[in-house]
Amino acid sequence: MATNGKTSRDRVLDLFNGERQHPTPVFSGMGNVTVHGIYPQGWRFAEIHTDAEKMARAAASTSQLFGFECAVAPFDMGVEAGALGCEINYYTHSTQEILYPTVQRKLAATVDEFKVEIPMDLETSGRVPLVLDAIRQLKAEVGDTVAIGGWVLGPFTLAGQLIELDNLLKMSFKKTAVVSAILDQLSGFLVQLAKLYRAAGVDYITVREMGASSSVISPRLFKTLILPVLQSFFAALEPPRVLHICGTVVDILELMPEAGAEAISIDHKNDAADAVRRVGDKVLVFGNLDAYNVLVNGTPDLIRENVTAILDAGVDAIWPGCDIWPTVSQENMKVLMETVRTYR
Amino acid sequence: MATTEQRDAIIEELKQGVIEFDEDQVKAAAQRVLADGMDAYDAIMNGLSAGMSRVGELFAANEYFVPEVLMCADALYAGLDILRPHVKPGTTAGIKGEVVIGTVEGDIHDIGKNLVKLMFEIAGFTVHDLGRDVPLEKFVEESIRTESDMVCLSAMMTTTMISMPKIIELLRKKNPNIKVMVGGAPVSDDLAKRWGADGYAADAANALSEAINMIDTLRDLKPIG
């Protein structure tokens, strides 16, 4: 979406610099690839995670097809764990059409057993070189006009990929110091990874710390265990930066801007107007379109109604609250873009 | 033999031990149940299980979160391990049934599923736990192999719950009478109904109460025989 001579990339970067944009930008820090950008190429969903060219072209397609104002790679949550030695399942032989890669085997059953060596040569670990290649290709293909987004898991969410979650959660309560040390180590690793993404051409970095919402842990634990790690993480990264936490954040909303990112992203389980009212003067607020029940399953009328309500709430950008589910219809994507473009 | 007052005190200790995730207190109280010749099933249902119901309420009220609930479940298991071998055959309130449970393919989160499983175990069901990341066909195969009455499907992520309607369809084709319960963060009551599921659980707290509701439904279906 080019407006007033500005490219969509200009609009997104200006937004991060604090200039409110009209129309409100519609983009994401998370996966937004659709089958409409994959299937016409003759590719299966499982292929786009392990081939740099396919990843780049799939990532570019949502902006090319619908005017969505970003291109984001990678798509799955296994890059970090894979770089640290976890085996990843790509479901290449599954009978199901779309499954995101997952961690096949965790590194440790308990926080006490957990030990990980952060690779010295991160650029060559796991799929990191592949993702970096994809980002470079993406930058070359659309990077002049479309903002390139990259994302990493938050330290706590990554810990949950590496250690049995049941134990991690209990020990967060019982052995907070042990868990805190693990999070510090993982945070250092994630900073390195995010810096590599930036160097490859990413314009903004999103941190997805979904394990830290109040749907999982208490606001008290968020404040004492998670927030300090996020603060040091964001302090080590150049702007623009986004903190995304899906699930209920109503009780940690005031703490989220303290993490140090320019923007926060929330999902549909939260009230966008309330969020803008409470923290909109401290941080950009992105959200909070229901990426499945509304965008995929909703009628055009429901999408219009929801998107208009979110714009009325005063968000700085429309973001889906999660990855866009790839089977979203072309019509629904167009209704989303059109509703924002014509909003007065 | 324990007096009514003694029985009530021990039951209360079990219950509070679960609520306060105090494994030692639960173990000690469970030992007293046995030492005093109390009914183990009564202690499980009115002590441990009642405690867990209260935990569900605390979770729903945002006083407890997932770590706390998991610690309560550990305390419950500590008591269950001691008491269950002493439950007299035929005293499980007439409920007998077999349940297949698992997290759907593509999803490696199993905390919610494990809590629901726990509730079924307390109530005396035989639970066939398929674990996590379970291929669609496996649910059907296992439900047929075990002649189970119910299949419980769990998904933590939007990206994986999409397979639920397919599994339900496959299950119904093979056994039109099978009960299906779905749960997990992204699932909604509307979706569950649209997919033709019999039961739905939104989160850990709901999973606990819904599991109890589903047990009641089955109890209606399968009178004590």
Side-chain angles (χ1 to χ4, degrees), chain A residues 247-286:
Chain A
T248 308
V249 296
V250 63
D251 293 324
I252 58 170
L253 199 60
E254 273 83 6
L255 296 172
M256 287 174 72
E258 290 183 26
E262 283 66 41
I264 62 166
S265 157
I266 58 173
D267 79 4
H268 63 278
K269 291 184 179 157
N270 304 279
D271 179 343
D274 177 58
V276 170
R277 197 164 42 243
R278 285 164 58 191
V279 298
D281 59 336
K282 298 186 189 75
V283 73
L284 299 169
V285 177
F286 297 166

Side-chain angles (χ1 to χ4, degrees), chain B residues 131-174:
Chain B
R132 52 199 183 193
D133 199 10
V134 180
L136 278 58
E137 302 78 15
K138 184 81 182 160
F139 284 101
V140 181
E141 287 164 16
E142 190 70 3
S143 72
I144 293 169
R145 189 187 71 76
T146 59
E147 297 181 352
S148 286
D149 312 275
M150 192 187 317
V151 176
C152 299
L153 310 171
S154 171
M156 177 63 196
M157 301 186 296
T158 306
T159 52
T160 55
M161 72 168 182
I162 319 290
S163 63
M164 285 180 166
K166 288 183 215 161
I167 303 173
I168 295 172
E169 194 187 329
L170 285 172
L171 286 166
R172 294 253 188 270
K173 258 188 206 161
K174 297 284 182 187

Side-chain angles (χ1 to χ4, degrees), chain A residues 89 91 94-96 99-100 102 164 166 169-170 173-174 214-219 269 292-293 297 325, chain B residues 21 65-68 70-71 74 105-106 108-109 111 132-133 136-137 158-159 161-163 185 191 194:
Chain A
N89 183 0
Y91 300 99
S94 170
T95 52
Q96 289 197 70
L99 283 177
Y100 280 87
T102 56
E164 285 298 337
D166 180 294
L169 289 169
K170 285 185 284 194
F173 195 98
K174 288 182 178 173
S214 308
S215 304
V216 182
I217 61 166
S218 66
K269 291 184 179 157
Y292 184 71
N293 293 307
N297 273 349
W325 180 249
Chain B
F21 38 92
F65 296 83
V66 179
E68 290 88 335
L70 291 173
M71 290 186 287
D74 279 355
E105 187 174 29
I108 55 172
H109 301 89
I111 286 174
R132 52 199 183 193
D133 199 10
L136 278 58
E137 302 78 15
T158 306
T159 52
M161 72 168 182
I162 319 290
S163 63
L191 286 172
R194 192 184 308 172

Side-chain angles (χ1 to χ4, degrees), chain A residues 28-32 70 72 74 151 206 208 244 265 319-324:
Chain A
S28 175
M30 298 163 278
N32 51 74
C70 66
V72 176
W151 59 270
T206 302
R208 302 174 71 167
H244 169 80
S265 157
W319 269 33
C322 191
D323 302 294
I324 292 181

Side-chain angles (χ1 to χ4, degrees), chain A residues 175-186:
Chain A
K175 294 185 176 178
T176 309
V178 174
V179 175
S180 181
I182 291 172
L183 299 188
D184 281 339
Q185 189 193 15
L186 295 179

